[in-house]
Amino acid sequence: MSHLFPTYAKWEVEPESAKGSYLTGIDGKTYLDFTSGIGVCNLGHCHEEVKAAIEDQLSKFWHVSNLFPVGVQEKAADLLAAASGMDLVFFANSGAEANEAAIKLARKATGKTKIITFLSSFHGRTFATMSATGQDKIKHGYGPMLETFEYVPFNDIEALENQLTDDVAAVMLEVIQGEGGIHVGTKEFLQKVEALCKEKGALLIVDEIQTGIGRTGTPFAFQQFGINPDIISSAKGLANGMPVGAIAAKEALKEYFGPGSHGTTFGGNPLAMAAAIKTMEIIFNESFLQEVNEKSEYIMSALDGKLGQNMHVKDIRGKGLMIGIEMDQPVGDILSELRKDGLIVLPAGNNVIRLLPSLTCIKEDIDKAVEILEKRINFFTKVTV
């Protein structure tokens, strides 16, 4: 018997080792991993330069607490602020913690409590971030949520205008809804959201937990939409597998997160910071991001060519290497069969196959993944017609 709570529906693949875009199970079978740990290992598994950075810090010190100035925190904050266009950074341990910090900061800075989020959004599983999430399924069984969150349909500016009153502290959104089905915000919508926030004195929080750190072909996805948020949150890809989360915010918010206002024991851990520094140094390079965009064009073209004519494929969408294949049926069984074929991918909602390959994947990896997807989806849809 396992002594773990059964909070996850475990797959049948137990990893033994992983390198780059590939994972090997304890049964000796090798899989092409197009999950990247759910968008975490953006540089692939066991990246040598990140590993070396962690080992170097490991020989110095592992933990001293945030009562000390820590040089690697300052360097990581410099890189994150420069890449995001923000001014100040707070390091936590996860995406949910980062979003908690964003929510707290927005409420304290504005003196208001109401926050508007969007249906099908996902922001985490703590009480505040679960309350912020626009999906009822993750809230079942926990009783009343925090009452200060309201939800409107994504990409529906009229619905937001009706809700965004002067008593709103912030609007919180993902520019691409990941867990909700890879739904991409329109530029017109997102720019109007920003304008409404300014008009009503609300802050704009952009959740970049999954979309950030090069995943969509720019350091952060919001940068492709011509908007300028007040706070962004980051986590997943920030340290290529080491636990870390962060918020980056504007200088005007500095006074609201002074000594004693917020804290964390392990946030900004030196080992995670060393990994984050090296990860950001590699990914935020212009030539690296250009390659991500080239790979994005390549895989989207290949998917459209192989699956675009399948009547059961409703849409292929996304940005960068964050891609959703929407089917006209649940995809759980398809994902299981794909693993048997040697390809590991994710769901996004009930009927979307989500692809999150490492940003370092090569065209041969993409060709292999598309070939497996074409074969399995075409076979499965024929059988289930």
Side-chain angles (χ1 to χ4, degrees), residues 183-204:
H183 298 294
V184 183
T186 68
K187 189 172 185 178
E188 179 184 14
F189 169 74
L190 294 169
Q191 290 183 350
K192 185 63 174 177
V193 171
E194 180 186 9
L196 286 171
C197 284
K198 289 179 178 178
E199 179 185 329
K200 297 296 184 179
L203 298 180
L204 176 57

Side-chain angles (χ1 to χ4, degrees), residues 225-242:
F225 296 88
I227 60 173
N228 186 21
D230 300 288
I231 306 169
I232 68 166
S233 55
S234 179
K236 288 185 181 294
L238 183 53
N240 210 60
M242 293 293 285

Side-chain angles (χ1 to χ4, degrees), residues 5 17 31 67 100 108 147-148 230 240 243 253 302 324 329 353:
F5 269 108
S17 62
Y31 301 83
L67 297 174
E100 282 272 349
K108 189 170 186 184
E147 298 178 354
T148 55
D230 300 288
N240 210 60
L253 300 174
Q329 58 190 272
I353 299 170

Side-chain angles (χ1 to χ4, degrees), residues 13 17 19 21-33 339-344 368:
V13 179
S17 62
K19 184 71 175 177
S21 295
Y22 288 85
L23 180 152
T24 301
I26 59 171
D27 59 357
K29 183 174 179 178
T30 297
Y31 301 83
L32 179 55
D33 181 6
R339 291 194 293 273
K340 293 177 184 177
D341 296 334
L343 175 65
I344 306 175
K368 182 177 179 180

Side-chain angles (χ1 to χ4, degrees), residues 71-111:
V72 285
Q73 282 187 5
E74 293 286 354
K75 185 173 182 179
D78 288 348
L79 289 167
L80 188 57
S84 63
M86 298 289 165
D87 303 302
L88 298 160
V89 173
F90 175 87
F91 286 111
N93 302 285
S94 68
E97 286 187 29
N99 283 337
E100 282 272 349
I103 291 165
K104 287 179 65 175
L105 179 57
R107 288 178 55 152
K108 189 170 186 184
T110 62

Side-chain angles (χ1 to χ4, degrees), residues 157-367:
I157 198 64
E158 185 176 348
L160 179 63
E161 286 178 320
N162 291 335
Q163 294 289 98
L164 186 45
T165 52
D166 291 331
D167 61 344
V168 171
V171 174
M172 185 175 190
L173 57 81
E174 306 153 275
V175 295
I176 305 172
Q177 294 185 329
E179 302 293 329
I182 316 298
H183 298 294
V184 183
T186 68
K187 189 172 185 178
E188 179 184 14
F189 169 74
L190 294 169
Q191 290 183 350
K192 185 63 174 177
V193 171
E194 180 186 9
L196 286 171
C197 284
K198 289 179 178 178
E199 179 185 329
K200 297 296 184 179
L203 298 180
L204 176 57
I205 303 170
V206 175
D207 178 340
E208 290 267 5
I209 304 301
Q210 189 168 151
T211 53
I213 319 300
R215 173 55 58 183
T216 65
T218 48
F220 295 93
F222 79 84
Q223 293 163 327
Q224 299 180 42
F225 296 88
I227 60 173
N228 186 21
D230 300 288
I231 306 169
I232 68 166
S233 55
S234 179
K236 288 185 181 294
L238 183 53
N240 210 60
M242 293 293 285
V244 65
I247 59 167
K250 295 296 189 183
E251 174 72 23
L253 300 174
K254 183 175 183 177
E255 65 180 285
Y256 302 104
F257 255 18
S261 59
H262 194 46
T264 169
T265 296
F266 293 108
N269 173 271
L271 300 178
M273 294 295 94
I277 289 167
K278 182 54 64 176
T279 299
M280 287 189 283
E281 285 177 343
I282 295 170
I283 291 179
F284 293 157
N285 182 284
E286 185 176 345
S287 62
F288 183 95
L289 292 170
Q290 179 58 37
E291 289 181 6
V292 173
N293 285 303
E294 290 170 1
K295 292 171 189 176
S296 175
E297 291 178 9
Y298 186 81
I299 189 171
M300 291 295 280
S301 176
L303 288 169
D304 184 63
K306 298 295 185 180
L307 295 172
Q309 301 305 310
N310 187 316
M311 62 181 294
H312 300 283
V313 176
K314 296 177 64 178
D315 194 17
I316 301 170
R317 57 180 179 261
K319 280 188 176 292
L321 292 175
M322 181 178 180
I323 298 165
I325 303 170
E326 183 178 354
M327 305 293 297
D328 64 356
Q329 58 190 272
V331 299
D333 289 341
I334 298 177
L335 301 189
S336 179
E337 293 301 314
L338 286 169
R339 291 194 293 273
K340 293 177 184 177
D341 296 334
L343 175 65
I344 306 175
V345 294
L346 293 158
N350 186 49
N351 66 330
V352 176
I353 299 170
R354 179 173 28 158
L355 310 181
L356 296 172
S358 69
L359 307 185
T360 54
C361 69
I362 59 177
K363 287 185 176 179
E364 287 80 1
D365 299 333
I366 293 172
D367 290 340

Side-chain angles (χ1 to χ4, degrees), residues 52-62 70 72 269-272 274-275:
I54 296 168
E55 289 175 340
D56 181 61
Q57 183 61 46
L58 193 66
S59 67
K60 296 176 180 177
F61 59 92
W62 305 355
V70 180
V72 285
N269 173 271
L271 300 178

